Amino acid sequence: MTDPATSWVDGADGSGFDVDHLPYGVFTTPDEEPRVGVRVGDHVVDLAPVAAASFDVHVGLFEQPTLNVFLATGAEEWERVRSWLQDLLLDPAAEAMVGPHLVPLSEVAMRMPFEVADYVDFYASLDHASNVGRIFRPDDAALPAAWRHLPIGYHGRAGTVVVSGTEVVRPSGQRRGADGPTFGLSERLDIEAELGFVVGTPSPLGSPVPTSAFASHVFGVVGLNDWSARDVQAWEYVPLGPFLGKSFATSVSAWVTPLAALDGARVDLPGQDPAPLAHLAVDEPAGFDIAVEVLLDGEVVARPPYSSMYWGPAQMLAHLTSNGASLRTGDLFASGTISGPAAEQRGSLLELSWGGQEPFEAAGRKRTFLEDGDEVTLRYTAPSPRGHLTLGEVTGRVVG
Ligand code: MN
């Protein structure tokens, strides 16, 4: 515990963790149970004792090993808790109540913030889909026939979604070889810089969720790295899509940024041609102005702009429930690799090295795919009324 450091309240510390942000996570301290906290500056607000002292919010939401109980309460309660906390943090008279429950980040260990129900990954960047098409299928049209009509996706593996900081063991798999397939360690291990969306409010089987209900169901966003073994993927993916080439690990940030914090980052989608069918139409800004940085061993190697994504997350949610599939609390869906039109905006090493044919430079060396010991970090920032938000970063080191 420490004295309440309050320079973060109005964003003056430049941390991107001021009262406009308030991302949720699950943390532990030595000899104490995991519980829910909110990040402010370089501290975590231990929410359960603060709730117990204020009587306005149920302690049971926060004495939990995951966010799922809070996520399931729904959008009205998310907003009520957010307003309660903002009022407390901005009220000098409440400092004596909050101050003792500010825990320095250096004293906590972060856990997986929510229990993942189902996990779906989309393919929503026009530039990424075009690049991958050119690299994997140089003789065919770059975009699949359905690509401009629906956000293409696949069901991933919920049980292997891990929190930022978890080491990623290089996967083995079957790959194409000159004399037939071989089985062994992936030689083309890659990343995909993505944004993930966390569902709080469930929906009943048989009831599609319209694009207009996006904010009623989606609680917030996480940074997400969809680790990909390209050699395994390239051999296995026809015709049913990715399987073992991606299911070995997906990393998410420890902090979940509430959708409400991103109101100032909403932007129009870049433009859809042809116009989507009615059930995928959106009538408000459906994109987000979120800047992404990809760091390889501490050096920025790409700056993908989320604002360039062709399909918005409300459309992804409407599409994934358009057949009546239900939503569960803890469902996670990801955007797909974020790539912009420029070479330095590509969100995968596959694209940055153009299929491994054109090595790029990082930390003074020519690089293509990941080597054992490499550390990859994804950083995200978004505009907000008081400056900017720093969304939860995602980091992971490759081990052999
Ligand atoms: Mn992906």
Side-chain angles (χ1 to χ4, degrees), residues 118-145:
D118 286 294
Y119 166 49
V120 167
D121 193 24
F122 286 95
Y123 192 51
S125 160
L126 177 62
D127 296 296
H128 174 70
S130 303
N131 289 338
V132 170
R134 285 189 206 109
I135 294 167
F136 275 13
R137 299 175 295 275
D139 300 328
D140 297 333
L143 292 179

Side-chain angles (χ1 to χ4, degrees), residues 238-275:
V238 179
L240 293 184
F243 188 48
L244 300 179
K246 286 167 177 285
S247 63
F248 55 93
T250 305
S251 300
V252 295
S253 58
W255 297 105
V256 184
T257 293
L259 209 54
L262 290 168
D263 281 348
R266 283 188 178 258
V267 290
D268 286 324
L269 295 172
Q272 298 184 314
D273 184 19

